[in-house]
Amino acid sequence: MQALLLHGGRVIDPANGIDEVCDVLVRDGRIAAVGRLQGGDVPGDVERVDCSGRLVLPGLIDTHSHVYQYVTGRFGLNADLCGVHSGVTTLVDQGGASCMTLPGFRKHVIEPSHSRVLSFISAYLVGGLEGHFYPQLYRPDCADIAATVKAAKANADVVKGIKAHAELGGFARWGTEVMQKAAAIGEQTGLPVYIHFGQLWPEPEEGGMDVDPDSIFTQVVDLLKPRDVLAHPFSRHPGGFVELNGEVHPLVRDAIERGLKVDVGHGSHFSFKMAEKVLSAGIVPHTLGSDMHGYNTSVPAPAGTPEEHEHPDEEHMFKGTSRFSLVSAMTSMIALGLSLEQVIPMVTVNAARMVGMSDEIGSLGVGRVADISVLSDESGRWLMRDNEGTEVIAERMLQPVFCLREGRRFDATASILPIPEVA
């Protein structure tokens, strides 16, 4: 492969303590040098790419994607659409594959994708099979601890965690039984359990238990171990980090002190109001995932999609029209008052730790595979809007320009990328 020199960008690599305007040399798909390279340091056959005024970062890691395309109906997006063509080199699919469908995920998503794709395997036998419409598929009988543990251990190269749901509709139906099974899978595999908080399913019309949404967090945290991940801290739906009284749940800080991690899991249920409450309480998430899927991203429904699934935005729990991506979620975090230096670790070094791959991804270490993301970084005034209608002004706008995946360049041309709206 031809040598490539990313010249003159602001290189930020939290894992190696680098934050300076310098160069990154890539050769044979690997990082050959990082620094202010002189003529003698650069091969004669190098292709120079001017990165002046841009951010040159370790390849971005999206900790919450849904890319089991077609198998999960309208839900699963194309991996490269969310990945390399959106400036993201690694995607963590959250719960799309199960112990039954993981072989297909490997064969039909992981292997053909240019993006690196990992799995947090579902704690449920059905994985992500249109589960938003069929909560009965996620009852305790639909979780097989032994089978899921076996699948995870036999596929340790791609299975990096377990996905489970702790939400009001499920608790009203089954109490903590499903979460107990998910926690057992996490214990037996030694993998982090990634827990969805915030209501997902409607409460049952009859026969359900009366559940206080504010009690869910307390019940779940008692089941968890260090490195498990609490998702959706900024959800607008009840049963999460913010109690019905508008205050942050008192156990959130205790959970973090016990070693549990927090992932933004942006999604269409992201709320600027809730985010301000959580951040004001001094709780800064460790990682940042986009949570893009076919119900909150404008992509055509696959042929044969049931009629009630074609337009879920009309009455679905996750309705929404605001376009977003992993990089625009980074911009949202900055608009909320976090610094760029706080946000970049969320999508690089911290995300690499979450998936147990700090020795492979999340940094620009010399000799590593050349997974690199290049972003534009502009100043101005842009309007950002969530699905509650809350608007904030962003004075800094990040956008993906291109990325290198194993040294190969992919431009950020995804049709689903949001278009900034000038304020």
Side-chain angles (χ1 to χ4, degrees):
M1 296 177 67
Q2 184 180 23
L4 188 69
L5 183 69
L6 304 182
H7 175 66
R10 181 181 174 187
V11 179
I12 305 178
D13 179 6
N16 289 303
I18 298 172
D19 184 354
E20 63 176 316
V21 174
C22 63
D23 309 314
V24 179
L25 177 64
V26 174
R27 192 173 186 86
D28 297 328
R30 293 189 174 272
I31 297 171
V34 179
R36 298 183 181 181
L37 305 181
Q38 305 300 317
D41 302 320
V42 180
D45 63 343
V46 72
E47 176 188 348
R48 288 177 173 265
V49 179
D50 184 7
C51 293
S52 301
R54 293 174 173 173
L55 302 176
V56 179
L57 311 174
L60 301 184
I61 304 166
D62 188 341
T63 55
H64 193 141
S65 66
H66 294 285
V67 293
Y68 205 162
Q69 191 177 22
Y70 303 125
V71 171
T72 54
R74 185 182 169 187
F75 200 63
L77 298 174
N78 177 267
D80 287 338
L81 192 70
C82 303
V84 290
H85 293 303
S86 290
V88 177
T89 59
T90 298
L91 301 166
V92 182
D93 181 84
Q94 287 291 346
S98 72
C99 60
M100 294 193 300
T101 63
L102 183 63
F105 187 66
R106 179 189 286 275
K107 179 68 174 178
H108 300 297
V109 177
I110 293 175
E111 291 181 2
S113 296
H114 295 296
S115 313
R116 184 196 305 269
V117 181
L118 305 171
S119 172
F120 267 43
I121 192 173
S122 177
Y124 317 96
L125 293 171
V126 295
L129 300 182
E130 298 284 6
H132 294 89
F133 289 92
Y134 306 109
Q136 63 269 28
L137 296 177
Y138 294 81
R139 65 188 186 274
D141 289 346
C142 289
D144 185 326
I145 295 173
T148 305
V149 169
K150 182 177 181 179
K153 288 184 174 180
N155 294 273
D157 59 325
V158 296
V159 176
K160 303 300 180 180
I162 312 300
K163 174 68 182 294
H165 300 87
E167 58 83 55
L168 186 57
F171 269 59
R173 289 173 171 84
W174 315 299
T176 63
E177 188 174 352
V178 176
M179 271 306 309
Q180 289 173 13
K181 288 193 169 186
I185 294 169
E187 286 285 354
Q188 293 181 33
T189 59
L191 294 173
V193 182
Y194 186 102
I195 302 107
H196 169 108
F197 283 102
Q199 189 167 9
L200 175 67
W201 301 305
E203 297 179 62
E205 295 182 2
E206 57 182 33
M209 295 177 281
D210 185 18
V211 178
D212 176 6
D214 295 340
S215 72
I216 292 175
F217 194 94
T218 302
Q219 295 179 68
V220 171
V221 166
D222 285 343
L223 300 172
L224 303 179
K225 65 184 185 304
R227 281 191 66 219
D228 286 349
V229 185
L230 313 174
H232 308 308
F234 307 150
S235 175
R236 57 191 167 99
H237 298 302
F241 281 52
V242 179
E243 296 185 298
L244 296 178
N245 63 11
E247 299 295 323
V248 174
H249 198 289
L251 286 184
V252 172
R253 193 178 303 280
D254 291 342
I256 294 171
E257 290 175 354
R258 284 175 41 195
L260 278 77
K261 304 301 180 181
V262 178
D263 182 82
V264 171
H266 189 287
S268 51
H269 44 91
F270 170 86
S271 164
F272 278 115
K273 291 180 180 178
M274 295 299 183
E276 289 175 351
K277 291 179 183 292
V278 174
L279 293 172
S280 295
I283 297 163
V284 178
H286 301 93
T287 53
L288 173 61
S290 67
D291 192 13
M292 299 169 66
H293 49 70
Y295 299 154
N296 62 26
T297 305
S298 297
V299 292
T305 298
E307 184 176 350
E308 65 269 25
H309 300 191
E310 290 186 6
H311 306 287
D313 293 349
E314 295 176 1
E315 55 185 46
H316 195 269
M317 190 70 71
F318 288 87
K319 65 182 180 181
T321 57
S322 295
R323 292 176 67 171
F324 59 94
S325 69
L326 181 63
V327 175
S328 73
M330 295 170 66
T331 298
S332 294
M333 296 300 101
I334 295 171
L336 282 162
L338 296 180
S339 68
L340 178 70
E341 293 76 14
Q342 287 176 296
V343 173
I344 289 177
M346 296 179 184
V347 291
T348 57
V349 62
N350 292 358
R353 291 192 192 110
M354 173 181 150
V355 298
M357 295 179 66
S358 295
D359 58 342
E360 296 182 54
I361 60 177
S363 88
L364 298 175
V366 173
R368 292 198 177 199
V369 167
D371 285 0
I372 303 171
S373 295
V374 178
L375 314 182
S376 64
D377 181 10
E378 304 292 337
S379 297
R381 287 177 62 83
W382 292 271
L383 187 65
M384 305 197 76
R385 186 182 296 108
D386 65 19
N387 289 312
E388 292 179 313
T390 303
E391 297 179 346
V392 301
I393 299 297
E395 296 183 347
R396 189 172 198 169
M397 176 62 63
L398 307 181
Q399 289 187 279
V401 180
F402 68 89
C403 71
L404 301 184
R405 170 73 180 108
E406 293 185 307
R408 179 179 174 185
R409 176 169 174 160
F410 295 88
D411 290 335
T413 57
S415 59
I416 59 175
L417 288 169
I419 299 172
E421 181 179 345
V422 178

